[in-house]
Amino acid sequence: MDKISVTSDNIFPIIKKFLYSDQEVFLRELVSNATDAIVKLKTIAKLENLDDFAEDDLKVRVLINKENKTIHIIDNGIGMTKEEVEKYINQIAFSGAEEFIKKYKTSEKNNQIIGHFGLGFYSSFMVSNKVMIFTQSYQKNASSIFWSCEGSPNFIMKEIEKRDRGTEIVLLIHENSKEFLEYDRIFKLLQKYCKFMPVAISLSSKEQKKDEKETIVNNIHPAWTKNPLQLIEKNYLDFYHQLYPNQLEDPLFWVHLNIDHPFHLTGILFFPKIEKRIDIQKDKIHLYQNQVYITDNLEGIVPDFLSLLRGVIDSPDIPLNVSRSYLQSDMSVKNISRYITRKVADKLDSLFRRDREDFQKKWEDIKIIVEYGMISAQNFFDKAIKFFICFTVNNIYFTLEEFKNKISKIQKNKEGKIIFLYSSDKEEQYSYIKEATDRGYEVLILDSPLSVHLIQKLEFFDKEIFFVRIDSDHIDKLIDQDKKYDSELSEKEKQDLKNLINTHLVEKYKFSIQLENLSKKDYPFLIIVPEFLRRIQEMNSIGKKIVEEKDQTKYYQLIVNTNHILMKKILQEISEEKRKKIIQEALNLTFLSKNMLHGKNLSTFVSKKLEDLTRD
């Protein structure tokens, strides 16, 4: 019995126990090796003009023998000579496994290793008590070789009776891993990791009936490996549903990636209907290397905003078995990230220019991606500013520049800034919108959870504009007006009025009170949150599922219209009880219009109104 040269700790117990949580990758590693053996044979066949094999017959077979507790991975590829087994199994593969373990153990977190790819042949010991290799090289004069190891540095290697070309690896599955003897479990793993490998892969079980055929589990020519000029819409849609079989809806459109220099990358990114959702997506982008599935966690590889897309990225130039923190400084990854961002931006720009009407129809489904990208990636923002669109309460779409040109002469504040009025909720802010549109102003709808961040980015981009939510003040304060209103109350009456209203405010609505000289036609009371304070509030609440009511209301201000007829009535009313009733009912109506009247206060208000109706 020979012995593998071990230069560090015995890695077999580490493979079996330390990597226990990722046992399933053994199948990917072994099938990948088998696939490589066939690809190498094809290459050699072309270079050496081999004529003793049929290319159509080349494939990888996975056979389950539940009775014997074995899994067989069989290929008819290049095979190995005795010298090659010694080199690739006892030396290179073992050294590669050692290196993998070192990286794995020193990584910040075990799950930060990208893909756990590269453990190679020795991954088989994660699930096996014993591993055997039967191999025959394509070289006609080479002997067939047997190799066996039971999870220690000791191994057996000898010549055996001549076999067909290729390699068969037999795993004797240990008790703790018997789940891998189930046909459905192996089928799902092959679907996960080997679905698009470039060589046909079949699965069969010893328990199958004789007339049952082997199942081919993969598509060897997925759409991303083909020239885009050879593909039609149906090809892309079929591939999308093959990639995500549980998705019933078609994607909106897609971006085909294909570059050979300065790095190699292919892939297809699909735009699903996302609408306003920025939660974790179940179906993510898949990372492949040479058609072998690695992971769907592309953090640090693609920009965060593109994690909302779906599809495939295949590149041999993305380093694996490194920490994600390392990726952030890797130049190849940076270049890949920039390339993908540029291709996505170019696709959106092309759609916008080619068919703006169709682009506008899709806007609600894609705007969260565009907004997220504009906020988080400057190189995307620089391109997206040309096709970023927004729409008014009348459903008319504008680019930023178009809207600025339309309102620049009539919507300015006293500092001369061009005011972009917007609403976050058309129904809730209806009365404020009406006040603005009655004066001929344009009001945008900005209802995305990212709007508060985006408008600050847009204001920084164009120093002449300023976004103001429609309910952040009275419209005549938001837009500078030549016409000013004088108050019909004296200074003493104003102070008395302020004291009276403050006295009758319920504790939970103790807002700051501000007296304003507005039109007699305007409401007696107005509840506002000044733009600056509201932005702070929204930024603080992003990511929180529940925002406490005290946090919601602490920025509110109560605007009192001193010129409304109700104010004179309050001051002139002799009866304290009647005065209190006037103030409370007017305030309750104001709170009700802001959806701020709840619980006991709402119940009391409704009950009194019903009593008044009954009395009348």
Side-chain angles (χ1 to χ4, degrees):
M1 179 175 286
D2 295 309
K3 192 168 185 177
I4 299 171
S5 175
V6 181
T7 58
S8 62
D9 297 335
N10 186 346
I11 68 168
F12 290 98
I14 301 174
I15 290 173
K16 288 182 176 181
K17 297 178 182 179
F18 190 65
L19 298 178
Y20 181 81
S21 62
D22 259 342
Q23 281 188 331
E24 65 181 40
V25 300
F26 84 91
L27 192 62
R28 177 188 66 186
E29 299 285 283
L30 296 181
V31 174
S32 294
N33 288 347
T35 299
D36 287 343
I38 291 175
V39 171
K40 287 175 182 176
L41 180 65
K42 289 181 180 181
T43 302
I44 291 173
K46 291 176 183 177
L47 294 175
E48 300 183 9
N49 296 317
L50 299 181
D51 56 5
D52 62 341
F53 78 98
E55 187 167 329
D56 290 345
D57 292 334
L58 296 176
K59 70 177 177 180
V60 177
R61 294 172 53 216
V62 179
L63 173 64
I64 304 168
N65 190 324
K66 195 171 183 179
E67 183 180 349
N68 292 341
K69 299 181 180 179
T70 58
I71 298 176
H72 303 247
I73 293 91
I74 308 163
D75 71 72
N76 51 1
I78 194 172
M80 289 182 286
T81 63
K82 183 178 181 180
E83 292 73 23
E84 287 169 337
V85 172
E86 175 66 34
K87 178 181 179 181
Y88 293 116
I89 300 299
N90 295 344
Q91 296 175 22
I92 293 178
F94 191 81
S95 296
E98 276 194 304
E99 182 64 22
F100 178 91
I101 292 296
K102 287 176 184 176
K103 289 181 179 179
Y104 197 98
K105 289 176 72 175
T106 56
S107 66
E108 295 173 7
K109 293 181 181 178
N110 294 345
N111 62 4
Q112 292 299 296
I113 288 290
I114 310 299
H116 296 169
F117 193 75
L119 186 56
F121 166 75
Y122 281 90
S123 63
S124 54
F125 288 98
M126 290 195 288
V127 297
S128 309
N129 292 320
K130 181 178 181 179
V131 178
M132 295 174 283
I133 300 175
F134 301 86
T135 185
Q136 169 62 49
S137 171
Y138 79 99
Q139 299 175 33
K140 293 182 179 179
N141 296 327
S143 301
S144 295
I145 302 299
F146 170 81
W147 182 95
S148 174
C149 179
E150 296 184 6
S152 74
N154 300 313
F155 69 92
I156 296 171
M157 186 168 68
K158 63 183 180 181
E159 293 184 7
I160 56 173
E161 185 179 343
K162 198 80 168 179
R163 293 170 57 92
D164 292 335
R165 182 198 67 243
T167 299
E168 177 178 2
I169 295 178
V170 181
L171 312 182
L172 182 61
I173 303 300
H174 59 61
E175 188 66 22
N176 292 339
S177 300
K178 61 184 181 180
E179 64 181 280
F180 296 109
L181 294 170
E182 299 297 329
Y183 182 93
D184 288 345
R185 178 76 166 112
I186 295 296
F187 178 79
K188 288 178 181 177
L189 288 180
L190 289 173
Q191 284 281 296
K192 177 179 179 180
Y193 290 110
C194 310
K195 194 173 188 176
F196 301 110
M197 281 189 180
V199 172
I201 301 166
S202 69
L203 173 64
S204 59
S205 171
K206 190 72 182 295
E207 284 69 37
Q208 283 180 294
K209 296 177 182 178
K210 290 185 178 181
D211 58 345
E212 286 188 60
K213 294 182 180 180
E214 294 177 323
T215 302
I216 300 297
V217 300
N218 61 322
N219 170 10
I220 65 174
H221 298 299
W224 84 79
T225 64
K226 299 178 182 178
N227 188 321
L229 297 176
Q230 299 175 336
L231 301 173
I232 60 175
E233 179 177 307
K234 185 178 185 301
N235 300 136
Y236 286 105
L237 295 179
D238 288 347
F239 173 64
Y240 178 79
H241 290 294
Q242 185 180 13
L243 199 58
Y244 305 109
N246 294 324
Q247 286 297 327
L248 302 179
E249 287 189 302
D250 289 341
L252 297 169
F253 48 86
W254 46 86
V255 182
H256 200 128
L257 308 170
N258 194 338
I259 185 172
D260 290 319
H261 184 77
F263 51 83
H264 183 72
L265 181 143
T266 56
I268 302 172
L269 296 180
F270 295 94
F271 280 73
K273 287 186 176 181
I274 293 178
E275 298 175 338
K276 299 175 187 176
R277 292 179 291 111
I278 55 174
D279 54 342
I280 296 174
Q281 302 294 310
K282 181 181 178 183
D283 292 319
K284 303 176 183 179
I285 299 173
H286 294 178
L287 175 64
Y288 282 73
Q289 274 204 355
N290 300 317
Q291 296 177 233
V292 180
Y293 174 83
I294 306 300
T295 182
D296 65 358
N297 184 354
L298 274 70
E299 179 187 350
I301 298 174
V302 300
D304 287 345
F305 78 97
L306 293 181
S307 64
L308 299 172
L309 302 186
R310 299 186 181 122
V312 166
I313 291 173
D314 190 331
S315 174
D317 294 321
I318 296 174
L320 303 177
N321 300 330
V322 296
S323 67
R324 295 190 185 277
S325 60
Y326 173 86
L327 288 175
Q328 295 174 1
S329 59
D330 183 81
M331 190 52 65
S332 292
V333 173
K334 285 184 177 180
N335 288 334
I336 287 170
S337 180
R338 281 193 287 264
Y339 166 74
I340 295 171
T341 299
R342 176 171 60 81
K343 290 291 289 184
V344 169
D346 288 346
K347 176 69 174 185
L348 290 166
D349 186 58
S350 172
L351 292 171
F352 174 73
R353 294 176 184 278
R354 190 173 70 240
D355 190 342
R356 178 163 172 171
E357 185 177 347
D358 185 59
F359 186 83
Q360 290 173 178
K361 289 178 181 177
K362 292 182 169 73
W363 182 247
E364 281 297 290
D365 293 313
I366 65 172
K367 72 176 183 181
I368 199 76
I369 298 173
V370 177
E371 291 176 346
Y372 193 0
M374 291 177 75
I375 292 166
S376 60
Q378 186 60 44
N379 56 337
F380 183 80
F381 179 94
D382 294 339
K383 287 178 173 288
I385 196 65
K386 299 174 183 177
F387 56 76
F388 171 75
I389 55 176
C390 41
F391 58 93
T392 67
V393 291
N394 297 318
N395 292 316
I396 302 173
Y397 283 84
F398 295 90
T399 64
L400 193 75
E401 191 65 24
E402 289 168 350
F403 192 71
K404 177 183 175 182
N405 291 336
K406 182 173 179 61
I407 67 169
S408 60
K409 293 182 180 179
I410 61 170
Q411 293 185 204
K412 288 188 176 182
N413 64 9
K414 59 185 179 182
E415 286 82 25
K417 293 267 191 180
I418 299 171
I419 299 301
F420 279 45
L421 297 171
Y422 74 94
S423 167
S424 60
D425 189 312
K426 192 174 178 179
E427 293 300 317
E428 189 174 300
Q429 295 151 15
Y430 173 81
S431 61
Y432 298 90
I433 294 171
K434 188 174 186 305
E435 291 282 349
T437 54
D438 284 350
R439 288 164 171 77
Y441 300 144
E442 295 284 353
V443 181
L444 296 172
I445 296 292
L446 296 179
D447 55 0
S448 159
L450 300 177
S451 292
V452 66
H453 292 282
L454 180 61
I455 61 179
Q456 298 208 153
K457 184 101 176 181
L458 294 173
E459 289 169 348
F460 182 80
F461 168 76
D462 188 338
K463 302 294 194 300
E464 294 182 349
I465 68 174
F466 186 65
F467 286 81
V468 181
R469 205 169 85 176
I470 196 70
D471 60 347
S472 62
D473 208 334
H474 188 274
I475 188 61
D476 291 340
K477 300 292 292 295
L478 299 177
I479 306 294
D480 191 37
Q481 291 284 326
D482 292 332
K483 187 175 181 181
K484 307 295 181 184
Y485 297 100
D486 295 325
S487 176
E488 297 184 1
L489 301 182
S490 66
E491 291 303 314
K492 183 181 183 305
E493 287 176 316
K494 287 182 182 179
Q495 188 59 49
D496 290 343
L497 180 64
K498 187 173 183 178
N499 292 337
L500 285 169
I501 293 170
N502 194 48
T503 300
H504 293 294
L505 274 175
V506 179
E507 184 61 35
K508 67 180 293 186
Y509 298 131
K510 286 288 185 183
F511 310 145
S512 64
I513 299 174
Q514 187 173 328
L515 303 183
E516 295 283 356
N517 306 330
L518 305 176
S519 165
K520 291 181 179 180
K521 295 180 180 179
D522 288 321
Y523 293 121
F525 297 116
L526 196 65
I527 296 174
I528 66 164
V529 180
E531 182 68 20
F532 174 71
L533 294 176
R534 186 189 46 73
R535 288 193 194 185
I536 294 175
Q537 175 197 14
E538 289 185 359
M539 286 183 176
N540 289 339
S541 65
I542 284 180
K544 295 180 182 178
K545 292 183 178 179
I546 300 174
V547 180
E548 292 185 14
E549 189 172 17
K550 64 180 181 180
D551 291 331
Q552 290 180 314
T553 60
K554 68 180 179 181
Y555 298 117
Y556 287 164
Q557 292 182 4
L558 179 65
I559 304 296
V560 179
N561 180 5
T562 61
N563 288 331
H564 195 279
I565 191 172
L566 193 64
M567 303 309 152
K568 287 254 184 184
K569 187 174 182 181
I570 291 171
L571 289 168
Q572 293 170 358
E573 180 57 57
I574 299 174
S575 169
E576 180 64 28
E577 185 178 340
K578 288 183 178 179
R579 179 190 289 150
K580 178 181 178 181
K581 182 179 180 181
I582 294 170
I583 293 173
Q584 287 189 338
E585 289 204 357
L587 287 172
N588 282 336
L589 287 170
T590 305
F591 295 144
L592 194 62
S593 70
K594 287 285 289 184
N595 195 28
M596 291 172 60
L597 200 63
H598 305 297
K600 181 180 178 181
N601 295 317
L602 177 60
S603 178
T604 302
F605 176 73
V606 171
S607 297
K608 286 183 177 179
K609 282 295 169 189
L610 289 173
E611 287 177 11
D612 291 343
L613 287 172
T614 305
R615 192 181 302 117
D616 292 343

